[in-house]
Coordinates of all heavy atoms in Angstrom, one line a residue:
M1 N 68.8 -4.1 86.4 CA 68.5 -2.8 86.8 C 67.6 -2.8 88.1 O 67.8 -1.9 89.0 CB 67.7 -2.1 85.7 CG 67.4 -0.7 86.0 SD 66.2 0.1 84.8 CE 67.3 0.4 83.5
T2 N 66.7 -3.8 88.2 CA 65.9 -3.9 89.4 C 66.7 -4.1 90.6 O 66.5 -3.4 91.7 CB 64.9 -5.0 89.2 OG1 64.1 -4.8 88.1 CG2 64.0 -5.1 90.4
D3 N 67.7 -4.9 90.6 CA 68.6 -5.2 91.7 C 69.3 -3.9 92.1 O 69.5 -3.6 93.3 CB 69.7 -6.3 91.4 CG 69.0 -7.6 91.2 OD1 67.9 -7.8 91.7 OD2 69.7 -8.5 90.6
E4 N 69.7 -3.1 91.1 CA 70.4 -1.9 91.4 C 69.5 -0.9 92.1 O 69.9 -0.2 93.0 CB 71.0 -1.3 90.1 CG 72.1 -0.3 90.3 CD 72.7 0.1 89.0 OE1 72.2 -0.3 87.9 OE2 73.8 0.7 89.0
L5 N 68.3 -0.8 91.6 CA 67.3 0.1 92.2 C 67.0 -0.3 93.7 O 66.9 0.5 94.6 CB 66.0 0.1 91.4 CG 66.0 0.9 90.1 CD1 64.8 0.6 89.3 CD2 66.1 2.4 90.4
I6 N 66.9 -1.6 93.9 CA 66.6 -2.1 95.3 C 67.8 -1.8 96.2 O 67.6 -1.3 97.3 CB 66.3 -3.6 95.2 CG1 65.0 -3.9 94.6 CG2 66.3 -4.2 96.6 CD1 64.7 -5.3 94.2
A7 N 69.0 -2.0 95.7 CA 70.2 -1.8 96.5 C 70.4 -0.3 96.8 O 71.0 0.0 97.8 CB 71.4 -2.4 95.8
H8 N 70.0 0.6 95.9 CA 70.3 2.0 96.0 C 69.1 2.9 96.2 O 69.2 4.1 96.1 CB 71.1 2.5 94.8 CG 72.5 1.8 94.7 ND1 73.5 2.2 95.5 CD2 72.9 0.9 93.8 CE1 74.6 1.4 95.1 NE2 74.2 0.6 94.2
G9 N 67.9 2.3 96.4 CA 66.7 3.1 96.4 C 66.7 4.3 97.4 O 66.4 5.4 97.0
K10 N 67.2 4.1 98.6 CA 67.3 5.2 99.6 C 68.3 6.2 99.1 O 68.1 7.4 99.3 CB 67.5 4.6 100.9 CG 66.4 3.9 101.5 CD 66.7 3.4 102.9 CE 65.5 2.5 103.4 NZ 65.7 1.9 104.7
D11 N 69.4 5.8 98.6 CA 70.5 6.7 98.1 C 70.0 7.5 97.0 O 70.5 8.7 96.8 CB 71.7 5.9 97.7 CG 72.3 5.1 98.8 OD1 72.2 5.5 100.0 OD2 72.8 4.0 98.5
W12 N 69.1 7.0 96.2 CA 68.6 7.7 95.0 C 67.3 8.4 95.1 O 66.7 8.8 94.2 CB 68.6 6.7 93.8 CG 69.9 6.2 93.4 CD1 71.1 6.7 93.7 CD2 70.1 5.1 92.5 NE1 72.1 5.9 93.1 CE2 71.5 4.9 92.4 CE3 69.3 4.2 91.9 CZ2 72.1 3.9 91.6 CZ3 69.8 3.2 91.1 CH2 71.2 3.1 91.0
S13 N 66.9 8.6 96.4 CA 65.6 9.3 96.6 C 65.7 10.8 96.3 O 66.8 11.3 96.4 CB 65.1 9.1 98.0 OG 65.9 9.8 98.9
F14 N 64.6 11.4 96.0 CA 64.6 12.9 95.8 C 65.2 13.6 97.0 O 66.0 14.5 96.9 CB 63.2 13.4 95.5 CG 62.7 13.0 94.2 CD1 61.4 12.9 94.0 CD2 63.5 12.8 93.1 CE1 60.8 12.5 92.7 CE2 63.0 12.5 91.8 CZ 61.7 12.3 91.7
K15 N 64.8 13.2 98.2 CA 65.2 13.8 99.4 C 66.8 13.7 99.6 O 67.4 14.7 100.0 CB 64.5 13.2 100.6 CG 64.7 14.0 101.9 CD 63.8 13.4 103.0 CE 63.4 14.4 104.0 NZ 62.4 15.4 103.5
T16 N 67.3 12.6 99.3 CA 68.8 12.3 99.4 C 69.5 13.1 98.4 O 70.6 13.7 98.7 CB 69.1 10.8 99.3 OG1 68.4 10.1 100.4 CG2 70.6 10.6 99.5
L17 N 69.0 13.2 97.2 CA 69.7 13.8 96.1 C 69.5 15.3 96.0 O 70.3 16.0 95.4 CB 69.3 13.2 94.7 CG 69.8 11.7 94.6 CD1 69.2 11.1 93.3 CD2 71.3 11.5 94.6
A18 N 68.4 15.8 96.6 CA 68.1 17.2 96.5 C 69.3 18.2 96.9 O 69.5 19.2 96.1 CB 66.9 17.5 97.4
P19 N 70.0 17.9 97.9 CA 71.1 18.9 98.3 C 72.2 19.0 97.1 O 72.8 20.0 97.0 CB 71.7 18.3 99.5 CG 70.6 17.5 100.2 CD 69.8 16.9 99.0
Q20 N 72.3 18.0 96.3 CA 73.2 18.0 95.2 C 72.7 18.9 94.0 O 73.4 19.2 93.1 CB 73.6 16.6 94.7 CG 74.2 15.8 95.8 CD 74.4 14.3 95.3 OE1 74.8 14.1 94.2 NE2 74.1 13.4 96.2
L21 N 71.4 19.2 94.1 CA 70.8 19.9 93.0 C 70.6 21.4 93.3 O 70.2 22.2 92.4 CB 69.4 19.3 92.6 CG 69.5 17.8 92.2 CD1 68.1 17.3 92.0 CD2 70.2 17.7 90.9
I22 N 70.9 21.9 94.5 CA 70.5 23.2 94.9 C 71.2 24.3 94.1 O 70.7 25.4 94.0 CB 70.6 23.4 96.4 CG1 72.0 23.3 96.9 CG2 69.7 22.5 97.2 CD1 72.3 23.7 98.3
H23 N 72.4 24.0 93.6 CA 73.2 25.1 92.9 C 73.0 24.9 91.4 O 73.7 25.6 90.6 CB 74.6 25.0 93.3 CG 74.9 25.2 94.7 ND1 74.6 26.4 95.3 CD2 75.3 24.4 95.7 CE1 74.9 26.3 96.6 NE2 75.3 25.1 96.9
R24 N 72.0 24.2 91.0 CA 71.8 24.0 89.5 C 70.4 24.6 89.2 O 69.5 24.6 90.0 CB 71.7 22.5 89.2 CG 73.0 21.8 89.5 CD 73.0 20.4 88.9 NE 74.3 19.7 89.2 CZ 75.3 19.8 88.4 NH1 75.3 20.5 87.3 NH2 76.4 19.1 88.7
K25 N 70.4 25.1 88.0 CA 69.1 25.6 87.5 C 68.4 24.4 87.0 O 68.9 23.6 86.2 CB 69.3 26.6 86.4 CG 70.0 27.9 86.9 CD 70.3 28.9 85.8 CE 70.7 30.1 86.5 NZ 72.1 30.5 86.4
L26 N 67.1 24.2 87.4 CA 66.4 23.0 87.0 C 65.1 23.4 86.2 O 64.4 24.3 86.5 CB 65.9 22.3 88.3 CG 67.0 21.8 89.3 CD1 66.4 21.2 90.5 CD2 68.0 20.8 88.6
L27 N 64.8 22.5 85.3 CA 63.6 22.6 84.5 C 62.9 21.2 84.8 O 63.4 20.2 84.4 CB 63.8 22.8 83.0 CG 62.6 22.7 82.1 CD1 61.6 23.8 82.5 CD2 63.0 22.9 80.7
V28 N 61.8 21.3 85.4 CA 61.0 20.1 85.7 C 59.8 20.1 84.8 O 58.9 20.9 84.9 CB 60.6 20.0 87.2 CG1 59.8 18.7 87.4 CG2 61.8 20.1 88.1
L29 N 59.7 19.1 83.9 CA 58.6 19.0 82.9 C 57.9 17.7 83.3 O 58.5 16.7 83.5 CB 59.2 18.9 81.5 CG 60.0 20.0 81.0 CD1 60.7 19.6 79.7 CD2 59.2 21.3 80.9
Y30 N 56.5 17.8 83.2 CA 55.8 16.6 83.5 C 54.4 16.7 82.8 O 54.0 17.7 82.4 CB 55.6 16.3 85.0 CG 55.1 17.5 85.8 CD1 53.8 17.7 86.1 CD2 56.0 18.4 86.3 CE1 53.3 18.8 86.9 CE2 55.6 19.5 87.1 CZ 54.3 19.7 87.3 OH 53.8 20.7 88.1
S31 N 53.9 15.5 82.5 CA 52.6 15.4 81.8 C 51.6 14.8 82.7 O 51.9 14.4 83.8 CB 52.8 14.5 80.5 OG 53.3 13.2 80.9
N32 N 50.3 14.8 82.2 CA 49.3 14.3 83.1 C 49.3 12.8 83.4 O 48.6 12.4 84.3 CB 47.9 14.7 82.5 CG 47.6 14.1 81.1 OD1 48.5 14.3 80.3 ND2 46.5 13.5 81.0
D33 N 50.1 12.0 82.6 CA 50.1 10.6 83.0 C 51.3 10.3 83.9 O 51.5 9.2 84.4 CB 50.2 9.7 81.8 CG 51.5 9.8 81.0 OD1 52.2 10.8 81.2 OD2 51.9 8.8 80.3
F34 N 52.1 11.4 84.2 CA 53.1 11.2 85.2 C 52.6 11.8 86.5 O 51.9 12.8 86.5 CB 54.4 12.0 84.8 CG 55.5 11.9 85.8 CD1 56.3 10.7 85.7 CD2 55.9 12.9 86.7 CE1 57.4 10.6 86.6 CE2 56.9 12.7 87.5 CZ 57.7 11.6 87.5
V35 N 52.8 11.1 87.6 CA 52.2 11.6 88.9 C 52.7 12.9 89.2 O 53.9 13.1 89.5 CB 52.4 10.5 90.0 CG1 51.8 11.0 91.3 CG2 51.9 9.2 89.5
K36 N 51.8 13.9 89.2 CA 52.2 15.3 89.5 C 52.8 15.4 90.9 O 53.7 16.1 91.1 CB 51.0 16.3 89.4 CG 51.4 17.7 89.5 CD 50.2 18.6 89.2 CE 50.6 20.0 89.4 NZ 49.6 21.0 89.1
A37 N 52.3 14.6 91.8 CA 52.8 14.6 93.2 C 54.3 14.3 93.2 O 55.0 14.8 94.0 CB 52.0 13.7 94.1
D38 N 54.7 13.3 92.4 CA 56.2 13.0 92.4 C 57.0 14.2 92.0 O 58.1 14.4 92.5 CB 56.4 11.8 91.4 CG 55.9 10.5 92.0 OD1 55.6 10.4 93.2 OD2 55.7 9.6 91.2
S39 N 56.6 14.9 91.0 CA 57.3 16.1 90.5 C 57.3 17.1 91.6 O 58.3 17.8 91.9 CB 56.7 16.7 89.3 OG 56.8 15.8 88.2
Q40 N 56.2 17.3 92.3 CA 56.1 18.2 93.4 C 57.0 17.8 94.6 O 57.6 18.7 95.2 CB 54.6 18.3 93.9 CG 53.7 18.9 92.9 CD 54.1 20.3 92.4 OE1 54.4 21.2 93.2 NE2 54.2 20.5 91.1
V41 N 57.2 16.5 94.8 CA 58.1 16.1 95.9 C 59.5 16.5 95.5 O 60.3 17.0 96.3 CB 58.0 14.6 96.1 CG1 59.2 14.1 96.9 CG2 56.7 14.2 96.7
L42 N 59.9 16.3 94.3 CA 61.3 16.7 93.8 C 61.5 18.2 94.0 O 62.4 18.7 94.7 CB 61.5 16.4 92.4 CG 62.8 17.0 91.7 CD1 64.0 16.5 92.4 CD2 62.8 16.7 90.2
I43 N 60.5 19.0 93.6 CA 60.6 20.5 93.7 C 60.6 20.9 95.2 O 61.5 21.7 95.6 CB 59.4 21.1 93.0 CG1 59.6 20.9 91.5 CG2 59.3 22.6 93.3 CD1 58.3 21.2 90.7
K44 N 59.8 20.3 96.0 CA 59.7 20.6 97.4 C 61.0 20.2 98.1 O 61.6 21.0 98.9 CB 58.6 19.8 98.1 CG 58.4 20.1 99.6 CD 57.2 19.3 100.1 CE 57.7 18.4 101.2 NZ 58.1 17.1 101.3
D45 N 61.6 19.1 97.8 CA 62.8 18.6 98.4 C 64.0 19.5 98.0 O 64.9 19.9 98.9 CB 63.1 17.2 98.1 CG 62.2 16.2 98.9 OD1 61.5 16.6 99.8 OD2 62.2 15.0 98.5
V46 N 64.1 19.9 96.8 CA 65.1 20.8 96.3 C 65.0 22.2 97.0 O 66.0 22.7 97.5 CB 65.2 20.9 94.8 CG1 66.2 22.0 94.4 CG2 65.6 19.6 94.2
K47 N 63.8 22.7 97.1 CA 63.6 24.0 97.7 C 63.9 23.9 99.2 O 64.5 24.8 99.8 CB 62.1 24.5 97.5 CG 61.9 25.0 96.1 CD 60.5 25.5 96.0 CE 60.3 26.1 94.6 NZ 58.9 26.6 94.4
A48 N 63.5 22.8 99.9 CA 63.8 22.6 101.3 C 65.3 22.6 101.6 O 65.8 23.0 102.6 CB 63.1 21.4 101.8
A49 N 66.0 22.1 100.6 CA 67.5 22.0 100.7 C 68.2 23.3 100.4 O 69.4 23.4 100.6 CB 68.1 20.9 99.9
G50 N 67.4 24.3 99.9 CA 68.0 25.6 99.6 C 68.0 26.0 98.2 O 68.5 27.0 97.8
G51 N 67.5 25.1 97.3 CA 67.4 25.4 95.9 C 66.4 26.5 95.6 O 65.3 26.5 96.1
T52 N 66.7 27.4 94.7 CA 65.8 28.5 94.3 C 65.6 28.7 92.8 O 64.7 29.4 92.4 CB 66.4 29.8 94.9 OG1 67.7 30.1 94.3 CG2 66.5 29.8 96.4
T53 N 66.3 28.0 92.0 CA 66.2 28.2 90.6 C 65.6 27.0 89.9 O 66.2 26.2 89.3 CB 67.6 28.5 89.9 OG1 68.5 27.4 90.3 CG2 68.1 29.8 90.4
I54 N 64.2 26.9 90.1 CA 63.5 25.8 89.6 C 62.3 26.3 88.8 O 61.5 27.1 89.2 CB 62.9 24.9 90.7 CG1 64.0 24.4 91.7 CG2 62.1 23.7 90.2 CD1 63.5 23.8 92.9
D55 N 62.3 25.9 87.5 CA 61.1 26.2 86.6 C 60.4 24.9 86.4 O 61.0 23.8 86.2 CB 61.6 26.7 85.3 CG 62.2 28.1 85.4 OD1 61.7 28.9 86.1 OD2 63.2 28.3 84.7
E56 N 59.1 25.0 86.5 CA 58.3 23.7 86.3 C 57.2 24.0 85.2 O 56.6 25.1 85.2 CB 57.7 23.2 87.6 CG 56.7 24.2 88.2 CD 56.0 23.6 89.4 OE1 55.3 22.6 89.3 OE2 56.2 24.1 90.5
K57 N 57.0 23.0 84.4 CA 56.0 23.1 83.4 C 55.2 21.8 83.3 O 55.7 20.8 83.3 CB 56.6 23.4 82.0 CG 57.5 24.6 81.9 CD 56.7 25.8 82.0 CE 57.7 27.0 81.9 NZ 57.2 28.3 82.3
Y58 N 53.8 22.0 83.3 CA 52.9 20.9 83.2 C 52.2 21.0 81.9 O 51.7 22.0 81.5 CB 52.0 20.9 84.4 CG 50.8 19.9 84.3 CD1 51.0 18.6 84.6 CD2 49.6 20.4 83.9 CE1 49.9 17.7 84.5 CE2 48.5 19.5 83.8 CZ 48.7 18.2 84.1 OH 47.7 17.3 84.0
V59 N 52.1 19.9 81.2 CA 51.4 19.8 79.9 C 50.4 18.6 79.9 O 50.9 17.5 80.3 CB 52.3 19.8 78.7 CG1 51.6 19.6 77.4 CG2 53.2 21.0 78.7
V60 N 49.2 18.8 79.5 CA 48.3 17.7 79.3 C 48.7 16.9 78.1 O 48.4 17.3 77.0 CB 46.8 18.2 79.3 CG1 45.9 17.0 79.1 CG2 46.5 19.0 80.5
T61 N 49.4 15.8 78.3 CA 49.8 14.9 77.2 C 50.2 13.6 77.7 O 50.0 13.4 78.9 CB 51.0 15.6 76.4 OG1 51.3 14.8 75.2 CG2 52.2 15.8 77.2
D62 N 50.7 12.7 76.9 CA 51.1 11.4 77.4 C 52.6 11.5 77.8 O 53.3 12.5 77.6 CB 50.9 10.3 76.4 CG 51.6 10.5 75.0 OD1 52.5 11.4 75.0 OD2 51.2 9.9 74.0
H63 N 53.1 10.4 78.3 CA 54.4 10.3 78.9 C 55.5 10.7 77.8 O 56.5 11.3 78.2 CB 54.7 8.9 79.4 CG 56.1 8.8 80.0 ND1 56.4 9.3 81.2 CD2 57.2 8.1 79.6 CE1 57.7 9.0 81.5 NE2 58.2 8.3 80.5
S64 N 55.3 10.3 76.6 CA 56.3 10.6 75.6 C 56.0 11.9 74.9 O 56.7 12.2 73.9 CB 56.3 9.4 74.5 OG 55.1 9.3 73.9
W65 N 55.0 12.6 75.3 CA 54.7 13.9 74.7 C 54.4 13.8 73.2 O 54.6 14.7 72.5 CB 55.8 15.0 75.0 CG 56.0 15.3 76.4 CD1 56.3 14.5 77.5 CD2 55.9 16.6 77.0 NE1 56.4 15.1 78.6 CE2 56.2 16.5 78.4 CE3 55.6 17.9 76.5 CZ2 56.2 17.5 79.3 CZ3 55.6 18.9 77.4 CH2 55.9 18.8 78.7
S66 N 53.9 12.6 72.8 CA 53.7 12.3 71.4 C 52.9 13.4 70.6 O 53.1 13.6 69.5 CB 53.2 10.9 71.2 OG 51.9 10.8 71.8
D67 N 51.9 14.0 71.3 CA 51.1 14.9 70.6 C 51.4 16.4 70.9 O 50.8 17.3 70.5 CB 49.6 14.7 71.0 CG 49.3 14.8 72.4 OD1 50.2 14.7 73.3 OD2 48.1 15.0 72.8
H68 N 52.6 16.5 71.7 CA 53.0 17.9 72.0 C 54.5 18.0 71.9 O 55.2 18.7 72.7 CB 52.6 18.2 73.5 CG 51.2 18.6 73.6 ND1 50.2 17.7 73.6 CD2 50.6 19.8 73.8 CE1 49.0 18.3 73.8 NE2 49.3 19.6 73.9
R69 N 55.1 17.3 70.9 CA 56.6 17.3 70.7 C 57.1 18.7 70.5 O 58.1 19.1 71.0 CB 57.0 16.4 69.6 CG 56.6 14.9 70.0 CD 57.8 14.2 70.6 NE 57.5 12.9 71.1 CZ 57.6 11.8 70.4 NH1 58.0 11.8 69.1 NH2 57.3 10.6 70.9
I70 N 56.4 19.5 69.7 CA 56.9 20.9 69.3 C 56.8 21.7 70.6 O 57.7 22.5 70.9 CB 56.1 21.5 68.2 CG1 56.5 20.7 66.9 CG2 56.4 23.0 68.0 CD1 55.7 21.0 65.7
A71 N 55.7 21.6 71.4 CA 55.6 22.3 72.6 C 56.8 21.9 73.6 O 57.3 22.8 74.2 CB 54.3 22.0 73.3
L72 N 57.1 20.6 73.7 CA 58.2 20.2 74.5 C 59.5 20.8 74.0 O 60.3 21.4 74.8 CB 58.3 18.7 74.4 CG 59.5 18.1 75.1 CD1 59.6 18.4 76.6 CD2 59.5 16.5 74.9
E73 N 59.7 20.8 72.7 CA 60.9 21.4 72.1 C 61.0 22.9 72.5 O 62.0 23.4 72.9 CB 60.9 21.2 70.6 CG 62.0 21.9 69.9 CD 61.9 21.7 68.4 OE1 61.3 20.7 67.9 OE2 62.3 22.7 67.7
S74 N 59.9 23.6 72.3 CA 59.8 25.0 72.6 C 60.1 25.3 74.0 O 60.8 26.3 74.4 CB 58.4 25.6 72.2 OG 58.3 25.4 70.8
L75 N 59.5 24.5 74.9 CA 59.8 24.7 76.4 C 61.2 24.6 76.7 O 61.8 25.4 77.4 CB 59.0 23.7 77.2 CG 57.5 24.0 77.3 CD1 56.8 22.7 77.9 CD2 57.2 25.2 78.1
V76 N 61.9 23.6 76.2 CA 63.3 23.3 76.5 C 64.2 24.4 75.9 O 65.0 24.9 76.5 CB 63.7 21.9 76.0 CG1 65.2 21.7 76.2 CG2 63.0 20.8 76.8
I77 N 63.9 24.7 74.6 CA 64.7 25.7 74.0 C 64.6 27.1 74.6 O 65.5 27.8 74.9 CB 64.4 25.8 72.4 CG1 65.0 24.5 71.8 CG2 65.0 27.0 71.8 CD1 64.5 24.4 70.3
G78 N 63.3 27.4 75.0 CA 63.1 28.7 75.6 C 63.8 28.7 77.0 O 64.4 29.8 77.4
W79 N 63.7 27.7 77.7 CA 64.4 27.6 79.0 C 65.9 27.7 78.8 O 66.6 28.5 79.6 CB 64.1 26.3 79.7 CG 64.6 26.2 81.1 CD1 64.1 26.8 82.2 CD2 65.8 25.4 81.5 NE1 64.9 26.4 83.3 CE2 65.9 25.6 82.9 CE3 66.6 24.6 80.8 CZ2 67.0 25.0 83.6 CZ3 67.7 24.0 81.5 CH2 67.8 24.2 82.9
L80 N 66.5 27.0 77.9 CA 67.9 27.1 77.6 C 68.3 28.5 77.2 O 69.4 29.0 77.6 CB 68.3 26.0 76.6 CG 68.3 24.6 77.0 CD1 68.5 23.7 75.8 CD2 69.3 24.3 78.0
E81 N 67.5 29.1 76.3 CA 67.9 30.5 75.9 C 67.8 31.4 77.1 O 68.6 32.4 77.2 CB 66.9 30.9 74.8 CG 67.2 30.3 73.5 CD 66.2 30.7 72.4 OE1 65.1 31.2 72.7 OE2 66.6 30.5 71.2
G82 N 67.0 31.1 78.1 CA 66.9 32.0 79.3 C 68.2 31.8 80.2 O 68.4 32.7 81.0
L83 N 68.9 30.8 80.0 CA 70.2 30.6 80.7 C 71.3 31.5 80.2 O 72.3 31.7 80.9 CB 70.6 29.1 80.7 CG 69.7 28.1 81.3 CD1 70.2 26.7 81.1 CD2 69.4 28.4 82.7
R84 N 71.2 32.0 79.0 CA 72.3 32.8 78.4 C 72.5 34.0 79.3 O 71.5 34.7 79.7 CB 71.9 33.3 77.0 CG 71.9 32.2 76.0 CD 71.7 32.8 74.7 NE 71.6 31.8 73.6 CZ 71.3 32.0 72.4 NH1 70.9 33.2 72.0 NH2 71.2 31.0 71.5
G85 N 73.7 34.3 79.6 CA 74.0 35.5 80.4 C 73.8 35.3 81.9 O 74.1 36.2 82.6
S86 N 73.1 34.2 82.3 CA 72.9 34.1 83.7 C 74.1 33.2 84.3 O 74.7 32.4 83.5 CB 71.6 33.4 84.0 OG 71.5 32.1 83.4
S87 N 74.3 33.4 85.5 CA 75.4 32.6 86.1 C 74.9 31.6 87.2 O 73.8 31.6 87.5 CB 76.5 33.5 86.6 OG 76.0 34.5 87.5

């Protein structure tokens, strides 16, 4: 996996992949042990490429959301339900 990441690192950057995400509705979830700046880079790059349908949610928890699993489930289900009827 490391070799693959080294070989494709530039191809797999947020900036490179952002144009492929602009026509998708995105939900970006992150916790306090994930670098918020990294999530902001993804959001910024997608918006700079023309993406407009990005929802972001930040929760104070650990990486696996172990103490906020129901909150995680609720965020995802609520977001998915919001997709109904939208195109």
Side-chain angles (χ1 to χ4, degrees):
M1 184 189 283
T2 303
D3 292 339
E4 202 171 9
L5 284 170
I6 291 168
H8 297 285
K10 291 180 182 177
D11 301 327
W12 293 346
S13 72
F14 288 151
K15 189 174 213 72
T16 301
L17 295 173
Q20 297 173 43
L21 299 173
I22 63 171
H23 299 295
R24 298 189 180 271
K25 294 177 171 108
L26 302 176
L27 175 61
V28 179
L29 302 171
Y30 49 97
S31 59
N32 59 311
D33 71 336
F34 184 77
V35 181
K36 186 174 180 178
D38 290 343
S39 295
Q40 295 301 311
V41 169
L42 170 63
I43 293 165
K44 181 181 124 261
D45 288 344
V46 171
K47 285 182 177 180
T52 58
T53 53
I54 304 168
D55 292 318
E56 63 176 297
K57 303 292 181 195
Y58 169 79
V59 175
V60 177
T61 186
D62 59 16
H63 181 74
S64 63
W65 295 57
S66 59
D67 60 341
H68 283 76
R69 297 265 172 90
I70 293 172
L72 173 61
E73 174 185 330
S74 297
L75 287 169
V76 173
I77 290 172
W79 184 78
L80 290 169
E81 287 177 341
L83 296 179
R84 289 184 184 174
S86 64
S87 50

